[in-house]
C-alpha cells in the first residue's frame, strides 16, 4: 500500500469515527467503567421515571409516551452525540411547546393528535440533522442566554398554569389560553376539591423535605409515592380525585407520523422552533458539563446526535426531546464514564415498563401536579433574572418581551420574537461603535492613551486623537461619518485628526469609501486624516482592494508612537511655542529643515 492510499484510508476512518463517536468511546470500555455506568444508569432510570410520566402529561400525551422518549432518545443521542455525559429525553420546556404547537392544529385528546406530535418530532429532527451536517453548530451562539431565560420562565408559568387545575380539582376546558385558564380557575375557586389540594401539598412538602435532607435521594419519586399513599389513606378516589392509571406495558412500537402536506405546512414553523430550542438546550448543557469534566464538545456532532434521536424516535412513539440538565447533572455526579450509562438507564426503564406497568396505576393526578409545579418552579432562574434586570436595560427589555410573549402569543413565535429583538439590539450596538476622544495619560515611553473626559486629560491643539471601538461596515458608516464630521467642524485649519484603529476588526467596501470621502473633505478644509495601529489583516484587505493607495499609504502608521513622532514634526511651531502643556513625549521642536521636508509629504 503506497503512502497516498494509506493516508486516504486513514482520513476515511477518521471521518467515519467522527460521524459515529461510539466507535471511539466504545473502545475505552472496561469492567470498571461499565460498573460506574451501571450505577449511574440505575440512578438515572429512577430519576427519569417520574419525570417522563410528568413531561408526557405536560405535552398532552399518555404517560407511557414520556417513558418511550426516555428510552429511545437518550440511546440514539448518546451513540451519535459528542458528549460523554449528556442525557437526552423529554424536557419540561419542549413538552409545553409541543402541546402548544400541536393543539393549535388538532384538538388535544383526539385520534389525530399523536400522529401530528410524531410529525412535529420528525421534522424537528430532520432540521437538526441538516444543520449538523451543514456544520452550523455555532448558530446556537446567536440565541442569547437572555432569550432562553425569558422563554424558559414563561414556559414555567404556562406549565404551572396547566397543572393548577389538577392540584385544585377544577375543570378547565382543554386548549384554553393562559388568561382564559386563569379566568376559569379564579371564577371557580370556590369549587376547589380539598382532597386534591391536600394531596398536591403533601407531595410538594415531602419532596422539599427529602431534598433538603439528602439531595442525592430521588426526592420527586418519593414525594409522589407518599402522595399516592396519602391518597389511598384518605380514599381519594371516592372523593373524585383522578388517577394517572396504569401504563400500557408495551415497548415503544413502530409508529407513522402524519406526512400529509397540510399537516407539514401547518407545523413547520413550530418544528423550526422546537429544533432550535432543543439544540440550544442540548449544546448549552453539554458545554456546561464539559467545563467540569474537561471534555471538548463538538457542536456539529451534538446537532447530528439530537437530530437522529428525534428522527428515530418519531417512528417509535416518541415526542421531541433534548438534553436534560437535571438528568445530565445526576449522570455526571454519580460517576458515569461513557454514554453506556444512558443505554443502561434505557434498559432498566424497559424492564420497569414490561415488569411493572401498574407502577402508576394508583398515582393521583394532584400528586403528579405537585411534582410538576416543583419542576416549573425550578425552571425559573431567579438569580440570572434579577441580575439581568439590574445590569442592562436592553437585556432587560429582551427578557421581558420574550417572557410576556410566551404568555400572549404562540410559544414558537415567542422564541423568534426574542431572537429578533436580540438581533436588533446587537445591530444597533454594532451600528453605533464608540468613538472616544483620547490623549496620553503620561509622558513615559510607550504612549498610553486614555479617555479625555474620564481622566480629565489635556489635548494638543493641533493633533486630535480618537479611538474607534468597532468595525467600520455599511451599518455603521452613517454614525462614524457624522461623528468625524462633527469633530472636524470644531477643529481649526491645519489640524491632524488621528484615528486609533486597534479596535477595528474589519472595514468593508462601504466603510472604505466613507473614509476616502472624509479624507478628501478634510483636505479641502485644510485638515488631515491619519490612521495608526491598524490590524495587518484589515490593512491587507484594504490593500487588496486598492483602498490603501486611495487613502494614502503615508497616512497609516504602525503604532501611536510612530504616528506622533511624524505628526509632531508637521505642527505649526508658533502654536507649539504658545502651548503651556506638554501633551506628548515627542513635543520638543524639530529642525526647520526636517519640518519643511515633512510638510512637503502631506501637501
Amino acid at each position: 500500500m503506497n503512502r497516498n492510499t494509506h493516508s486516504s484510508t486513514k482520513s476515511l476512518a477518521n471521518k467515519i469515527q467522527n460521524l459515529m463517536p461510539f466507535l471511539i468511546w466504545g473502545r475505552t470500555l472496561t469492567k470498571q467503567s461499565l460498573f460506574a455506568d451501571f450505577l449511574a444508569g440505575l440512578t438515572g432510570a429512577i430519576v427519569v421515571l417520574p419525570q417522563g410520566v410528568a413531561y408526557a402529561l405536560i405535552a398532552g400525551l399518555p404517560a407511557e409516551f414520556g417513558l418511550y422518549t426516555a428510552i429511545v432518545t437518550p440511546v440514539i443521542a448518546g451513540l451519535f452525540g459528542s458528549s460523554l455525559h449528556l442525557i437526552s429525553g423529554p424536557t419540561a420546556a419542549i413538552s409545553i411547546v409541543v402541546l402548544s404547537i400541536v393543539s393549535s392544529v388538532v384538538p388535544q385528546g383526539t385520534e389525530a393528535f399523536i400522529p401530528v406530535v410524531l410529525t412535529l418530532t420528525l421534522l424537528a429532527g430532520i432540521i437538526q440533522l441538516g444543520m449538523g451536517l451543514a456544520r452550523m453548530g455555532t448558530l446556537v451562539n446567536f440565541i442569547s442566554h437572555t432569550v432562553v431565560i425569558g422563554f424558559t420562565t414563561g414556559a414555567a408559568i404556562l406549565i404551572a398554569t396547566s397543572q393548577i387545575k389538577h392540584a385544585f380539582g377544577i375543570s378547565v376546558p382543554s386548549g384554553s389560553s393562559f388568561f382564559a385558564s386563569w379566568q376559569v380557575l379564579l371564577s371557580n375557586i370556590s369549587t376547589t376539591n380539598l382532597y386534591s389540594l391536600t394531596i398536591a401539598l403533601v407531595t410538594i412538602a415531602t419532596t422539599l423535605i427529602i431534598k433538603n435532607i439528602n439531595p442525592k435521594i430521588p426526592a420527586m419519586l418519593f414525594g409522589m409515592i407518599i402522595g399516592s399513599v396519602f391518597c389511598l389513606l384518605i380514599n381519594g378516589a371516592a372523593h373524585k380525585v383522578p388517577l394517572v392509571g396504569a401504563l400500557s406495558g408495551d415497548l415503544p412500537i413502530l409508529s407513522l407520523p402524519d406526512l400529509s402536506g397540510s399537516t407539514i405546512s401547518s407545523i413547520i414553523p413550530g418544528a423550526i422552533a422546537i429544533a432550535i430550542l432543543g439544540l440550544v438546550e442540548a449544546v448549552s448543557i453539554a458545554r456546561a458539563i464539559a467545563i467540569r469534566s474537561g471534555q471538548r464538545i463538538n457542536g456539529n456532532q451534538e446537532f447530528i446526535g439530537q437530530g437522529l434521536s428525534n428522527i428515530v424516535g418519531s417512528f417509535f412513539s416518541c415526542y421531541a426531546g433534548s438534553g436534560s440538565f437535571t438528568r445530565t447533572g445526576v449522570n455526571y455526579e454519580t460517576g458515569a464514564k461513557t454514554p453506556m450509562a444512558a443505554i443502561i438507564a434505557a434498559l432498566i426503564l424497559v424492564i420497569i415498563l414490561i415488569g411493572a406497568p401498574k407502577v402508576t396505576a394508583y398515582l393521583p393526578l394532584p400528586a403528579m401536579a405537585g411534582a410538576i409545579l416543583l419542576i416549573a418552579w425550578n425552571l425559573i432562574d431567579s438569580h440570572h433574572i434579577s441580575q439581568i434586570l439590574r445590569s442592562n436595560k436592553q437585556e432587560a427589555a429582551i427578557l421581558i418581551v420574550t417572557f410576556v410573549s410566551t404568555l400572549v402569543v404562540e410559544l414558537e413565535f415567542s422564541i423568534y420574537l426574542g431572537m429578533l429583538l436580540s438581533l436588533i439590539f446587537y445591530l444597533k450596538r454594532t451600528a453605533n461603535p464608540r468613538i472616544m476622544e483620547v490623549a496620553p495619560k503620561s509622558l513615559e515611553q510607550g504612549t498610553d492613551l486614555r479617555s479625555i473626559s474620564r481622566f480629565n486629560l489635556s489635548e494638543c491643539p493641533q493633533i486630535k486623537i480618537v479611538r474607534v471601538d468597532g468595525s467600520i461596515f455599511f451599518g455603521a458608516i452613517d454614525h462614524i461619518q457624522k461623528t468625524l464630521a462633527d469633530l472636524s467642524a470644531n477643529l481649526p485649519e491645519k489640524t491632524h485628526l488621528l484615528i486609533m484603529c486597534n479596535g477595528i476588526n474589519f472595514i468593508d467596501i462601504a466603510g472604505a469609501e466613507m473614509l476616502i470621502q472624509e479624507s478628501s473633505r478634510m483636505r479641502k478644509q485644510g485638515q488631515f486624516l491619519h490612521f495608526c495601529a491598524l490590524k495587518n489583516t484589515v490593512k491587507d484587505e484594504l490593500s487588496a482592494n486598492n483602498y490603501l493607495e486611495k487613502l494614502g499609504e503615508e497616512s497609516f502608521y504602525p503604532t501611536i508612537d510612530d504616528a506622533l513622532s511624524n505628526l509632531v514634526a508637521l505642527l505649526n511651531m508658533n502654536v507649539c511655542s504658545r502651548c503651556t502643556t506638554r501633551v506628548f513625549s515627542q513635543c520638543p521642536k524639530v529642525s526647520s529643515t526636517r519640518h519643511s521636508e515633512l510638510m512637503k509629504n502631506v501637501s
Side-chain angles (χ1 to χ4, degrees):
M1 181 183 294
N2 60 43
R3 182 177 299 177
N4 290 336
T5 304
H6 176 74
S7 177
S8 62
T9 303
K10 187 176 180 179
S11 176
L12 178 61
N14 288 334
K15 288 180 179 179
I16 293 174
Q17 287 183 348
N18 288 334
L19 289 174
M20 302 179 182
F22 59 87
L23 295 176
I24 300 174
W25 59 258
R27 293 198 297 266
T28 67
L29 294 176
T30 62
K31 289 182 180 180
Q32 291 78 11
S33 68
L34 282 172
F35 182 71
D37 287 340
F38 171 78
L39 293 179
L42 178 61
T43 307
I46 294 172
V47 171
V48 78
L49 180 61
Q51 283 190 348
V53 174
Y55 294 155
L57 297 179
I58 292 173
L61 294 165
E64 55 265 26
F65 275 71
L67 297 184
Y68 293 163
T69 307
I71 291 171
V72 177
T73 302
V75 172
I76 303 300
L79 290 173
F80 291 94
S82 68
S83 174
L84 295 176
H85 300 101
L86 180 68
I87 299 294
S88 297
T91 68
I94 288 184
S95 296
I96 192 67
V97 179
V98 167
L99 175 62
S100 173
I101 294 169
V102 179
S103 60
S104 66
V105 178
V106 293
Q108 180 186 349
T110 61
E111 187 178 345
F113 187 83
I114 291 176
V116 176
V117 169
L118 300 178
T119 306
L120 178 67
T121 304
L122 175 63
L123 293 177
I126 291 173
I127 293 168
Q128 291 172 331
L129 177 61
M131 293 174 70
L133 293 175
R135 306 190 67 78
M136 299 169 70
T138 56
L139 284 183
V140 296
N141 297 329
F142 289 92
I143 304 172
S144 72
H145 186 54
T146 303
V147 171
V148 175
I149 290 176
F151 171 79
T152 305
T153 303
I157 300 298
L158 290 177
I159 290 169
T161 300
S162 71
Q163 297 303 309
I164 288 289
K165 61 184 179 182
H166 297 307
F168 281 76
I170 298 173
S171 178
V172 177
S174 177
S176 299
S177 66
F178 171 75
F179 294 105
S181 296
W182 276 105
Q183 184 178 5
V184 173
L185 287 168
L186 293 175
S187 61
N188 292 278
I189 195 70
S190 59
T191 65
T192 297
N193 185 329
L194 294 178
Y195 289 89
S196 293
L197 182 58
T198 306
I199 292 168
L201 292 175
V202 167
T203 303
I204 293 172
T206 304
T207 303
L208 292 175
I209 291 170
I210 293 175
K211 190 173 182 180
N212 286 329
I213 293 173
N214 190 342
K216 294 184 177 181
I217 297 175
M220 187 179 297
L221 178 63
F222 283 100
M224 287 191 289
I225 291 173
I226 297 299
S228 301
V229 172
F230 182 77
C231 179
L232 285 173
L233 293 175
I234 63 174
N235 196 15
H239 295 91
K240 299 182 179 179
V241 175
L243 304 176
V244 172
L247 300 172
S248 65
D250 298 324
L251 294 177
I253 57 173
L254 281 173
S255 53
L256 289 176
D258 179 359
L259 299 178
S260 63
S262 59
T263 298
I264 292 175
S265 61
S266 62
I267 64 171
I268 192 67
I272 296 172
I274 289 282
I276 292 173
L277 178 60
L279 293 175
V280 170
E281 281 191 340
V283 175
S284 60
I285 292 168
R287 285 177 176 169
I289 294 296
I291 291 173
R292 299 169 63 185
S293 66
Q295 187 197 353
R296 185 175 179 273
I297 298 300
N298 183 330
N300 294 313
Q301 193 62 44
E302 286 303 325
F303 277 30
I304 292 173
Q306 294 298 315
L308 286 174
S309 69
N310 282 323
I311 291 172
V312 173
S314 68
F315 293 100
F316 286 92
S317 303
C318 303
Y319 72 97
S322 181
S324 165
F325 190 83
T326 302
R327 298 193 297 278
T328 301
V330 168
N331 190 50
Y332 177 73
E333 292 295 339
T334 50
K337 302 299 181 184
T338 71
M340 274 301 296
I343 297 173
I344 291 169
L347 292 174
I348 293 172
L349 283 179
V350 167
I351 295 171
I352 293 173
L353 199 58
I354 296 174
K358 294 183 179 180
V359 69
T360 60
Y362 300 102
L363 176 62
L365 274 178
M368 182 62 68
I372 295 174
L373 287 172
L374 286 176
I375 291 171
W377 174 258
N378 290 330
L379 284 175
I380 300 175
D381 191 345
S382 56
H383 170 71
H384 283 103
I385 290 173
S386 61
Q387 191 176 50
I388 291 168
L389 293 176
R390 289 195 311 267
S391 62
N392 189 297
K393 290 182 178 179
Q394 290 187 350
E395 291 295 318
I398 294 170
L399 176 73
I400 293 170
V401 168
T402 306
F403 167 70
V404 172
S405 64
T406 60
L407 305 180
V408 298
V409 302
E410 298 294 338
L411 272 178
E412 63 270 27
F413 293 111
S414 68
I415 299 174
Y416 300 146
L417 187 59
M419 291 169 57
L420 179 62
L421 193 60
S422 294
L423 184 59
I424 290 172
F425 282 137
Y426 170 75
L427 291 176
K428 184 180 178 181
R429 285 195 296 268
T430 56
N432 293 275
R434 180 180 298 175
I435 301 178
M436 184 184 299
E437 299 178 43
V438 295
K441 188 180 179 183
S442 68
L443 296 178
E444 296 177 2
Q445 185 65 27
T447 306
D448 180 22
L449 298 178
R450 297 298 177 94
S451 169
I452 289 173
S453 58
R454 172 171 291 188
F455 293 95
N456 193 26
L457 302 175
S458 300
E459 283 188 277
C460 173
Q462 300 182 76
I463 299 177
K464 182 75 169 179
I465 308 175
V466 296
R467 190 180 72 218
V468 178
D469 293 331
S471 296
I472 303 178
F473 71 110
F474 64 91
I477 58 174
D478 184 65
H479 170 73
I480 296 173
Q481 190 167 27
K482 183 178 183 303
T483 304
L484 293 179
D486 291 343
L487 283 171
S488 64
N490 297 317
L491 298 177
E493 192 177 350
K494 301 297 182 182
T495 301
H496 300 268
L497 179 60
L498 176 63
I499 298 179
M500 278 288 296
C501 303
N502 54 337
I504 300 173
N505 290 320
F506 73 90
I507 301 175
D508 68 359
I509 292 176
E513 292 287 352
M514 181 272 292
L515 292 176
I516 291 173
Q517 291 176 16
E518 284 303 293
S519 179
S520 176
R521 179 186 62 78
M522 291 182 66
R523 280 182 177 274
K524 291 177 182 178
Q525 294 179 186
Q527 299 167 337
F528 306 99
L529 183 63
H530 307 274
F531 309 88
C532 74
L534 185 68
K535 295 178 180 178
N536 288 331
T537 53
V538 181
K539 194 173 182 179
D540 290 342
E541 290 178 4
L542 289 177
S543 179
N545 293 308
N546 206 34
Y547 285 114
L548 195 64
E549 183 180 344
K550 292 178 182 178
L551 284 165
E553 291 191 38
E554 70 280 356
S555 299
F556 289 82
Y557 301 97
T559 67
I560 181 63
D561 288 310
D562 287 325
L564 292 176
S565 295
N566 285 274
L567 295 181
V568 166
L570 304 176
L571 302 182
N572 185 327
M573 294 303 157
N574 292 327
V575 176
C576 287
S577 64
R578 296 193 298 269
C579 186
T580 59
T581 304
R582 188 185 181 201
V583 178
F584 308 121
S585 60
Q586 297 87 351
C587 273
K589 295 178 181 180
V590 297
S591 67
S592 58
T593 305
R594 175 63 175 158
H595 182 265
S596 301
E597 178 185 330
L598 291 170
M599 285 299 291
K600 290 178 183 179
N601 291 334
V602 297
S603 60

